[in-house]
Amino acid sequence: GYVKLYGDADGEEDLFGEDEPDGMNGDREQFRNLYYVPELSYSEVDALVEAVQLSPTLNQKETAKLISSLEENFASKYYQKGARRICKIHGKSCDRELLRANLLTIQQAIKDGVQIAYRFNGYTKDKKLAPMGDYQRTASPYYIVANDGRYYLLAANEKYKHSGPYIVRIDLMTEVAIPGRDENAAKKGIPAIPKNEVAGLPSEWEEDFPMRHIYMSYGAPVLIKLRIKNEKEKDGHTPPAYTFLYDYFGDSYRYLGIDKNNPDYDIVAVRCTEFGMENFAMQYADKVEVLEPLELREAILKKAQRLAEKYRNPGKP
């Protein structure tokens, strides 16, 4: 738009005012200190590079190629590269092409507000996916959740919608399709169940969802009171002992005070599913004791008794 506004410049000396110290060249306005503003800031490029490095759907070669493209197209010679020597670990390996295809189909269904059909699978002794039952399942998809290197789908079906949404691993889904879809006839598919008809389903995504559903566990979150081991040293110093709790619950846990019966323990409260807390309490049995609700405490006790019996009598059912 420069020529339209100011006329055609014959050379750079006219544009930058090399010959006219007063900032004007005839009736043409001078511009100084011009610089290019890139589409993405360098901090945004860094954020994209980090996301690419952490993506479970890309291998090492694909990661390097995509990062190179980002730097070539959205950065300059002045760009200071951030951390690059991050080694990718594909311990939780999956068929990345299948995962990508599943994600695209589910995203389209969520966008159009329609249902999906799929088969749910598990791994066999031969490290292959095999169906969990010889039938297709249908679901109304609402949110795709990335958690701990895996993708999960928060969905619901007509039969159990009053019990709330359920969570399914997307890398274990095959034959994902949108039934009733006909693009030629402008049919998007079978309408999904409205969100307000699914018990406990948030109308908008809540970022603390993974904290209230640790291990991506199902069920409605409840208030849980815990006893946390936090030993005090002889000089009165208390070393930080909450890292394991922060890793799962972030800053959502609430400190209630020191245990009146033992000063080496603290009392805290969290909001979480009971199923998730059962596994958490078993995993960190040396650090955590569930105090309330009593039904959850009783369930953990029974699980611990079964575990003790198993190890006392190896090989017995």
Side-chain angles (χ1 to χ4, degrees):
Y2 179 87
V3 173
K4 181 178 179 181
L5 291 173
Y6 305 107
D8 188 16
D10 295 327
E12 290 186 2
E13 66 277 3
D14 291 333
L15 179 62
F16 291 99
E18 297 285 336
D19 298 333
E20 296 293 338
D22 62 356
M24 296 296 291
N25 182 8
D27 60 351
R28 187 174 296 152
E29 185 176 354
Q30 304 295 309
F31 293 91
R32 297 180 183 275
N33 300 320
L34 295 176
Y35 61 93
Y36 172 67
V37 178
E39 291 184 60
L40 299 173
S41 68
Y42 291 158
S43 62
E44 289 173 329
V45 174
D46 279 338
L48 287 172
V49 168
E50 181 182 354
V52 170
Q53 288 176 322
L54 297 177
S55 173
T57 65
L58 300 171
N59 59 34
Q60 196 75 38
K61 186 176 180 180
E62 291 168 331
T63 297
K65 183 178 179 182
L66 192 49
I67 290 175
S68 178
S69 295
L70 285 171
E71 292 174 346
E72 180 180 344
N73 291 286
F74 297 103
S76 72
K77 64 180 181 180
Y78 303 106
Y79 172 58
Q80 299 294 320
K81 295 182 180 181
R84 292 292 183 273
R85 299 188 178 276
I86 297 177
C87 300
K88 297 189 73 124
I89 298 175
H90 286 292
K92 299 173 181 177
S93 61
C94 65
D95 185 333
R96 289 190 292 275
E97 291 301 321
L98 173 65
L99 177 58
R100 286 175 186 162
N102 288 351
L103 288 170
L104 287 173
T105 302
I106 295 170
Q107 287 169 348
Q108 186 64 56
I110 293 174
K111 177 183 175 182
D112 293 340
V114 296
Q115 298 182 26
I116 62 169
Y118 67 96
R119 291 187 188 275
F120 189 66
N121 304 267
Y123 280 94
T124 68
K125 61 181 176 60
D126 301 316
K127 307 169 189 174
K128 304 292 185 182
L129 279 178
M132 302 281 287
D134 188 23
Y135 61 93
Q136 272 198 326
R137 309 177 187 216
T138 59
S140 294
Y142 302 106
Y143 302 107
I144 294 174
V145 185
N147 185 61
D148 195 23
R150 289 197 175 105
Y151 289 97
Y152 298 84
L153 173 64
L154 191 61
N157 60 35
E158 190 66 36
K159 185 176 181 180
Y160 298 106
K161 66 180 182 180
H162 299 299
S163 300
Y166 65 93
I167 301 168
V168 57
R169 268 175 54 183
I170 295 177
D171 62 297
L172 297 181
M173 301 167 71
T174 56
E175 300 179 35
V176 180
I178 301 176
R181 187 177 185 83
D182 187 344
E183 295 184 3
N184 294 328
K187 293 181 179 179
K188 295 182 177 180
I190 303 169
I193 303 169
K195 289 182 179 179
N196 60 6
E197 293 184 13
V198 181
L201 179 70
S203 58
E204 298 293 337
W205 175 245
E206 299 172 350
E207 291 189 357
D208 62 351
F209 183 90
M211 300 174 192
R212 298 188 177 195
H213 297 78
I214 57 174
Y215 311 111
M216 296 307 293
S217 54
Y218 60 84
V222 298
L223 187 65
I224 300 172
K225 188 179 290 187
L226 303 174
R227 191 168 178 255
I228 304 294
K229 190 174 184 180
N230 193 16
E231 292 180 300
K232 317 302 187 285
E233 295 181 346
K234 292 181 179 179
D235 60 0
H237 173 67
T238 304
Y242 278 70
T243 303
F244 79 101
L245 198 68
Y246 191 89
D247 285 345
Y248 285 87
F249 296 98
D251 59 2
S252 67
Y253 64 83
R254 183 159 52 97
Y255 173 76
L256 300 179
I258 297 175
D259 186 358
K260 296 177 180 178
N261 298 318
N262 189 334
D264 283 338
Y265 287 84
D266 294 343
I267 307 299
V268 302
V270 299
R271 187 169 290 278
C272 177
T273 65
E274 293 190 5
F275 181 77
M277 182 52 66
E278 275 190 40
N279 293 296
F280 182 79
M282 294 296 291
Q283 180 178 352
Y284 292 100
D286 59 330
K287 298 180 178 181
V288 173
E289 177 187 354
V290 173
L291 300 178
E292 298 176 7
L294 295 179
E295 314 87 71
L296 174 58
R297 182 180 173 88
E298 186 67 24
I300 295 171
L301 172 61
K302 291 180 180 179
K303 183 176 285 190
Q305 288 172 336
R306 291 194 297 269
L307 183 64
E309 186 65 25
K310 180 184 293 185
Y311 280 90
R312 268 197 295 263
N313 301 286
K316 290 188 177 181

